[in-house]
Amino acid sequence: MNSSRRNFIKNSALAATAIGATTVISSKVWSAGPAPSDKINVALIGCRNMGFGILSNHLNTGQVNCVALCDVDRNVLNEKAQAVKNNHGQEPALYGDYRKVLERKDVDAVIIGTPDHWHCLIMVEACSAGKDVYVEKPMANTIGECNIMVKAAKRYGRVVQVGQQQRSSKIFNDSMHVIKSGKIGTLRKVNIWVNFNYGLGTVPVPDSPVPDGVDYDFWLGPAPARPFNPARFHGSWRHYWDYGGGLMSDWGVHLVDMGLWAKDITTGPPKVITFADNFSKADMARDTFDTMNIIYPKDDFVIHYDLTAGIEQGPFDSSYGLQFIGEKGTLVADRNKYHLYPEWDGRKNAPKTEELHFDKGNETHRQHVDNFLECIKTRQTPVCPPEIGRAAALHVHIANIAARVGETTLEWDDANNRFTNSEKANELVVPEYRKPWKLPEI
Ligand SMILES: NC(=O)c1ccc[n+]([C@@H]2O[C@H](COP(=O)([O-])OP(=O)(O)OC[C@H]3O[C@@H](n4cnc5c(N)ncnc54)[C@H](O)[C@@H]3O)[C@@H](O)[C@H]2O)c1
């Protein structure tokens, strides 16, 4: 993007922050197909799997220059640099330290595709450096970090999209329309299930030397120092509390988010009732739970989350999904389809509502990226801002915290950010960062 337009956007954002409002610039200004200098300059931090997928979606829009790639694993960095060159003809600068990327004045936006324990620090520093941010889900690995990130986006007036891409999917947008228009009657219960083999973690392997090209100390960052072990590294880090929250948070944020969206809930859960256990712990490398049943009682409905790692079968022939139960019918949805099953009215001898079916699920990462890029231009709020990322993350983290400290029921005071019935649980709200990394203050 050329510097006068970049400054215009930054000044608009600052003005919006100053007056506490969102400034809207007509999207027509941008709609004619960008000249090269008008393209948005993005940098990717954390390149291996999802980050690269999200970058590819950015590049496929034709509206974006990739000016920098950053990864603490040089092997990943080189491989992805080659892929960007082959697929898009671009040659981004390569970095191992994200702070050097954030120093670059020409970077408009960063994509954060690191493991979860890094999201907060990089996001906050990116916002304070004036960058817009696409941060992968779950927004952070702890409640305290989520709170800081919500404040950072506001304080620095940045556009922040959290990678809960189901917010951009036609299936779930239509499902929400069906539910909110009253077609299933009063929503009484949301059943969520998720059963995947990968949730068991990996086969245990001994500690080993750090692979060539990997800056392992930087990979650990604010997490506790530990010897290198491949089962805790690329991809499988998500099964260890130091870096992630297991299947509960990995998929949970996507699915619980849908239950919250049905009633537009944007706060943490007042009460969480948790059963959790590990039936395969001895065989697999993992901290997190393989079996969880969580109840989130709400004012006028209930969400029930049923997790069984290590199996692929589930209700309605789907290994994951949601069932929105109303008095007139039940809507069952996953990423590919939804189906409304009407209840039968015995007195009228007729269905209580019309049957509906839609099974043409579409690619949703691209739509989520499109929404982010549009909001960078218009300074409007994206479909998944930090408040929504926080609400979903708190629901899954609180369930995990309950299981970790052995409490069946946790009560959460969202305004004061503390548990009212467990000091042990309060100890897990704010993380302790390993020096020299410091939890950001906003
Ligand atoms: N939205 C979705 O559907 C979806 C799907 C999968 C993963 N994710 C999320 O994407 C994120 C990444 O997951 P993944 O599966 O791609 O993990 P991964 O382990 O495959 O890749 C993470 C990359 O980040 C790099 N990295 C770690 N610390 C870094 C740092 N400080 N600076 C630069 N690079 C660093 C690693 O070397 C690695 O290349 C996670 O937050 C995950 O939850 C989202």
Side-chain angles (χ1 to χ4, degrees):
M1 207 188 305
N2 71 31
S3 64
S4 58
R5 189 159 289 182
R6 185 172 295 120
N7 286 339
F8 174 54
I9 284 178
K10 287 199 168 131
N11 292 340
S12 304
L14 287 175
T17 322
I19 59 173
T22 306
T23 300
V24 179
I25 305 163
S26 166
S27 61
K28 287 193 183 123
V29 174
W30 299 91
S31 57
S37 60
D38 284 343
K39 286 189 175 180
I40 295 167
N41 288 340
V42 302
L44 170 62
I45 300 170
C47 304
R48 183 171 169 269
N49 172 32
M50 199 62 218
F52 189 72
I54 295 300
L55 173 70
S56 302
N57 277 291
H58 279 74
L59 287 166
N60 288 339
T61 66
Q63 297 179 46
V64 160
N65 293 317
C66 175
V67 294
L69 293 179
C70 172
D71 204 288
V72 295
D73 183 342
R74 182 126 301 259
N75 311 298
V76 170
L77 199 54
N78 291 339
E79 182 198 320
K80 299 305 178 189
Q82 194 59 50
V84 170
K85 188 172 177 190
N86 294 348
N87 301 342
H88 302 279
Q90 298 190 13
E91 294 188 62
L94 306 185
Y95 296 86
D97 185 334
Y98 71 92
R99 293 168 295 191
K100 298 282 174 220
V101 176
L102 300 181
E103 279 170 13
R104 284 181 61 147
K105 297 271 179 290
D106 63 341
V107 171
D108 299 306
V110 300
I111 301 161
I112 302 175
T114 63
D116 309 348
H117 68 290
W118 263 112
H119 289 181
C120 175
L121 203 47
I122 299 175
M123 179 273 191
V124 172
E125 289 179 26
C127 288
S128 77
K131 320 299 184 198
D132 295 323
V133 178
Y134 187 112
V135 58
E136 260 310 338
K137 55 46 55 178
M139 191 163 84
N141 198 31
T142 63
I143 296 173
E145 290 170 306
C146 289
N147 292 338
I148 292 166
M149 292 164 85
V150 169
K151 283 191 200 158
K154 276 205 191 106
R155 161 136 186 228
Y156 299 112
R158 305 321 307 165
V159 169
V160 178
Q161 177 85 296
V162 182
Q164 288 161 210
Q165 70 275 359
Q166 289 176 180
R167 287 266 170 174
S168 293
S169 95
K170 177 170 168 53
I171 295 279
F172 284 110
N173 273 279
D174 287 0
S175 297
M176 291 305 143
H177 179 72
V178 168
I179 294 162
K180 291 177 184 183
S181 66
K183 280 206 164 65
I184 65 167
T186 305
L187 177 64
R188 195 192 300 170
K189 186 186 275 186
V190 179
N191 282 332
I192 298 170
W193 67 98
V194 61
N195 307 323
F196 288 118
N197 277 332
Y198 89 89
L200 290 186
T202 55
V203 177
V205 289
D207 294 343
S208 58
V210 177
D212 283 348
V214 173
D215 186 341
Y216 177 56
D217 189 66
F218 211 143
W219 186 94
L220 285 170
R226 295 192 190 277
F228 180 83
N229 188 299
R232 303 174 68 97
F233 192 48
H234 286 333
S236 47
W237 50 262
R238 46 188 25 90
H239 307 294
Y240 292 90
W241 300 128
D242 288 346
Y243 330 109
L247 184 55
M248 180 71 209
S249 72
D250 213 32
W251 265 81
V253 281
H254 287 305
L255 298 176
V256 171
D257 186 27
M258 300 298 98
L260 302 178
W261 192 7
K263 293 272 190 176
D264 292 320
I265 293 171
T266 55
T267 52
K271 187 186 268 196
V272 179
I273 303 164
T274 301
F275 168 87
D277 211 331
N278 260 327
F279 293 99
S280 59
K281 186 141 180 105
D283 307 332
M284 302 298 279
R286 176 181 86 242
D287 286 342
T288 52
F289 298 97
D290 64 15
T291 306
M292 297 183 83
N293 281 71
I294 316 297
I295 296 170
Y296 300 103
K298 302 291 179 190
D299 285 348
D300 56 359
F301 78 120
V302 61
I303 299 177
H304 173 236
Y305 184 114
D306 179 352
L307 175 154
T308 319
I311 64 165
E312 293 280 331
Q313 307 304 316
F316 299 94
D317 261 346
S318 188
S319 48
Y320 73 96
L322 292 120
Q323 194 187 17
F324 298 89
I325 302 174
E327 59 196 342
K328 293 189 197 163
T330 292
L331 186 139
V332 178
D334 61 27
R335 290 180 177 180
N336 300 313
K337 58 189 180 305
Y338 67 81
H339 193 114
L340 197 171
Y341 299 86
E343 290 299 327
W344 189 253
D345 187 332
R347 277 178 302 178
K348 293 186 181 154
N349 206 21
K352 289 185 180 171
T353 190
E354 63 177 321
E355 184 166 357
L356 295 172
H357 182 79
F358 184 83
D359 60 12
K360 295 189 178 57
N362 55 356
E363 162 47 35
T364 48
H365 289 103
R366 173 58 193 271
Q367 276 86 350
H368 212 48
V369 166
D370 285 346
N371 173 253
F372 176 54
L373 293 176
E374 182 64 16
C375 291
I376 289 178
K377 296 167 189 168
T378 63
R379 311 314 292 171
Q380 287 179 319
T381 304
V383 294
C384 193
E387 289 77 5
I388 289 178
R390 172 186 180 272
L394 261 61
H395 278 74
V396 299
H397 289 326
I398 291 175
N400 271 337
I401 289 172
R404 290 172 71 184
V405 301
E407 300 277 13
T408 307
T409 302
L410 280 179
E411 285 169 15
W412 174 250
D413 175 351
D414 202 57
N416 294 303
N417 276 301
R418 59 185 305 277
F419 295 101
T420 53
N421 67 336
S422 170
E423 280 317 309
K424 275 187 293 178
N426 277 325
E427 285 170 20
L428 295 180
V429 171
V430 177
E432 233 176 80
Y433 274 22
R434 183 175 67 111
K435 289 188 176 104
W437 304 102
K438 280 187 23 209
L439 186 69
E441 282 177 25
I442 300 290

